[in-house]
Amino acid sequence: MKIRELLSTRVQAAMTAVGIPDSFSPMVSPSNRPQFGDYQANGTMAAAKKLGTNPRELAQKIVDQLQLEDVASKVEIAGPGFINIHLAEDWLAEQVCTALNSDSLGMEQAEQPQTVVIDYSAPNLAKEMHVGHLRSTIIGDALARVLEAQGHKVVRQNHVGDWGTQFGMLIANLEDKTAGNEVAEAALSDLEEFYRDAKQRFDNEPAFADRARDYVVKLQGGDARCLELWQQFINISVTHSEEIYQLLNVTLKPEDIKAESAYNDDLPVVIELLKQQGLIVEDQGAQVAFLEELADKEGNPLPMIVQKSGGGYLYATTDLAAVRYRNDVLNADRALYFIDARQSLHMKQVFTLSRKAGFAKPEFSLEHHPFGTMMGEDGKPFKTRSGGTVKLAELLKEAVEKAEALLQSKESDLSAEEQKEAARKIGIGAVKYADLAKTRTNDYIFSWDSMLSFEGNTAPYLQYAYTRIQSIFRKADQTVDNSVAPVLAEAQEKALALKLLQLEDVIDQVAKEAYPHLLCNYLYELSSLFMKFYEACPILRSDVAAEQRASRLSLCAATARTLQQGLDLLGIETMERM
Ligand code: ARG
């Protein structure tokens, strides 16, 4: 049920009926205060100003034309011309009932499903996944789930870094290690350590450095032995990230990997096409595009190198090829890139040149959705105590351990096995939610204490709210009759029902703007309204009539399902007890 859309359509129709051009939006949004109704339409003022009429009179004319008898109990004009809409309890109750009877909680499938590429996670395979990859992985995955739930075709693209000069020293080192009887898996069990070792040898052993450089050239030339070593390295590195994805409950699969190297053959084609169209020129031996679109204040166009003077290609060249692939082969309508804000200029360059070169058709929407940096509690970028990068595997392990300790400190009737499972869901959920709940574009402070708190806008709080509802059902020992609509007699019941029905509007906004925190806020508000309802409206007390109990239980059921479904869209699991 998209309430906002329904009301917007109706108000727009009334505006049209009184002669207001379609270009004026009805501006319908949920009201902040119940006394202003459940929704407000604030578009009258702008229209009146333009048409030179009195806004209150215009609002009255619109209201006279407004057909909302089936959904609203009252429509009022307030202030300079706001239209306040009070929704009818009966109608809301019926919608809750309909939602409960649908697998998707009444969410509709997109009328025009799109093909949406989501470019996310994308670690550099030369090293181990570290916290720098966390945000892209978590946020991108939430968007993949949301768009899929809406019925879009989502193509996950894990644009992993598997090419570049550092692989010369890595495979030379791997060759030496495996020659000495060590199996590759063991040698590469700690990628970070392996990388450090290779780098140290590269810096200190001239013969090793020469061989590493030679291997880079051979690798690019397709030398079988070098490719074999490289492939071995990549396979093991990919296995490391697969383990993390699994632990993180992230939907990326090995087949979603479309690595940088997959575009190698297309790179000379990209250069050729740019040349033919006169979009690049030679500058000090390199091939460069000068983008007037991104000129500085003095009007100097921004140079973007697409081929180095030695003939080597760059990160940007590969991204241009990826745009071509997504446009021509995947035939995508949208591509969402979840990459650190520090790469904003890079993305602008890639998008601008792709458009000019016709690599992306005009209707193909290219969207960089940047995010800020994860900070430590000292306000500096998140590091280990000794100042090193934090390995993701270790961070996640710590999260589960902390959740385990937390559960152990509480009284619980869970078996050891159940407690372990719950700790995993709580620990991982806490890390993911803490990230998702912040406005994506801001930096955020990573704090164990706040993310693992059972109070406030956290995963444990929402998971706990869910288990509380489950415990009500266990005590009630009665199933919900989905065919009967709840009775919304108390203000808290109405407020809860209204919130329940706003899920789809929120999901729609998340899908459009790629801001998962909107869904987090929604779930948090929903839980808070549920707690208020629970305090004000007894359910299991012996003096509650059977019908009223059934009605309230159906509100409980709808809340539990909305919480579960909402958290699932964020990639966070729930449990029956904790
Ligand atoms: N591997 C890159 C990095 O670690 C991120 C790649 C993002 N995706 C892209 N199409 N450029 O910075």
Side-chain angles (χ1 to χ4, degrees), residues 119 121-124 133 159-161 260 315 319 322 326 337-339 343 346-347:
D119 184 318
S121 193
N124 182 347
H133 300 114
H159 191 90
V160 298
E260 289 187 11
Y315 180 52
D319 261 322
R326 293 162 187 188
Y337 291 74
F338 290 95
I339 314 178
Q343 292 193 30
H346 162 78
M347 290 322 302

Side-chain angles (χ1 to χ4, degrees), residues 279-283 286-290 302-307:
L279 291 170
I280 49 177
V281 291
E282 192 170 317
D283 190 63
Q287 297 296 330
V288 186
F290 287 93
L302 182 76
M304 170 186 181
I305 305 176
V306 291
Q307 188 172 23

Side-chain angles (χ1 to χ4, degrees), residues 24-314:
F24 288 97
S25 155
M27 293 174 60
V28 171
S29 60
S31 306
N32 299 330
R33 300 230 202 108
Q35 65 261 41
F36 299 141
D38 301 313
Y39 280 83
Q40 292 179 304
N42 300 342
T44 313
M45 277 73 73
K49 199 167 172 196
K50 191 79 184 197
L51 302 175
T53 56
N54 177 309
R56 263 195 91 101
E57 280 167 23
L58 187 64
Q60 187 57 55
K61 280 192 199 158
I62 296 172
V63 169
D64 290 342
Q65 293 294 327
L66 191 55
Q67 292 187 352
L68 280 179
E69 297 74 25
D70 51 340
V71 302
S73 56
K74 194 164 65 174
V75 177
E76 295 167 320
I77 299 168
F82 299 109
I83 299 173
N84 295 344
I85 301 167
H86 300 256
L87 294 169
E89 281 83 13
D90 291 354
W91 181 77
L92 287 171
E94 242 169 75
Q95 304 310 312
V96 172
C97 184
T98 310
L100 265 177
N101 279 294
S102 123
D103 286 340
S104 64
L105 272 178
M107 282 215 315
E108 287 161 34
Q109 294 286 289
E111 272 166 45
Q112 284 163 324
Q114 293 186 314
T115 298
V116 187
V117 165
I118 307 195
D119 184 318
Y120 71 109
S121 193
N124 182 347
L125 295 182
K127 294 189 180 179
E128 197 151 323
M129 266 179 100
H130 58 83
V131 295
H133 300 114
L134 192 61
R135 303 207 70 187
S136 175
T137 307
I138 295 176
I139 301 171
D141 203 53
L143 260 293
R145 290 167 186 264
V146 163
L147 286 158
E148 231 154 36
Q150 289 193 316
H152 297 292
K153 180 181 168 198
V154 170
V155 187
R156 294 166 174 78
Q157 293 281 279
N158 195 354
H159 191 90
V160 298
D162 66 340
W163 205 247
T165 48
Q166 75 263 59
F167 285 95
M169 71 180 193
L170 292 171
I171 63 178
N173 201 32
L174 181 62
E175 185 172 46
D176 294 346
K177 294 274 178 295
T178 49
N181 260 341
E182 202 174 342
V183 288
E185 280 77 7
L188 296 175
S189 64
D190 188 332
L191 280 182
E192 215 53 38
E193 175 65 40
F194 186 87
Y195 186 94
R196 232 176 299 136
D197 184 44
K199 178 85 174 79
Q200 199 180 348
R201 293 186 67 193
F202 186 85
D203 291 339
N204 299 311
E205 298 172 29
F208 179 83
D210 285 342
R211 188 153 57 94
R213 281 190 213 98
D214 179 39
Y215 279 10
V216 175
V217 178
K218 281 192 171 155
L219 194 59
Q220 281 165 351
D223 174 86
R225 171 73 186 141
C226 283
L227 275 174
E228 190 190 319
L229 282 163
W230 170 79
Q231 193 63 60
Q232 208 173 5
F233 183 94
I234 296 299
N235 290 349
I236 292 170
S237 180
V238 164
T239 311
H240 286 297
S241 27
E242 294 304 328
E243 280 164 17
I244 301 234
Y245 294 150
Q246 220 160 41
L247 180 57
L248 257 187
N249 186 30
V250 157
T251 56
L252 278 170
K253 296 276 166 321
E255 56 272 25
D256 301 320
I257 292 180
K258 178 87 180 168
E260 289 187 11
S261 67
Y263 299 103
N264 283 351
D265 290 347
D266 199 45
L267 303 180
V269 182
V270 166
I271 302 298
E272 193 47 44
L273 289 168
L274 293 173
K275 241 184 229 165
Q276 278 170 15
Q277 302 185 70
L279 291 170
I280 49 177
V281 291
E282 192 170 317
D283 190 63
Q284 296 166 29
Q287 297 296 330
V288 186
F290 287 93
L291 304 170
E292 309 90 42
E293 293 81 353
L294 303 176
D296 64 13
K297 285 194 207 82
E298 277 81 52
N300 305 310
L302 182 76
M304 170 186 181
I305 305 176
V306 291
Q307 188 172 23
K308 289 189 272 195
S309 58
Y313 303 104
L314 296 102

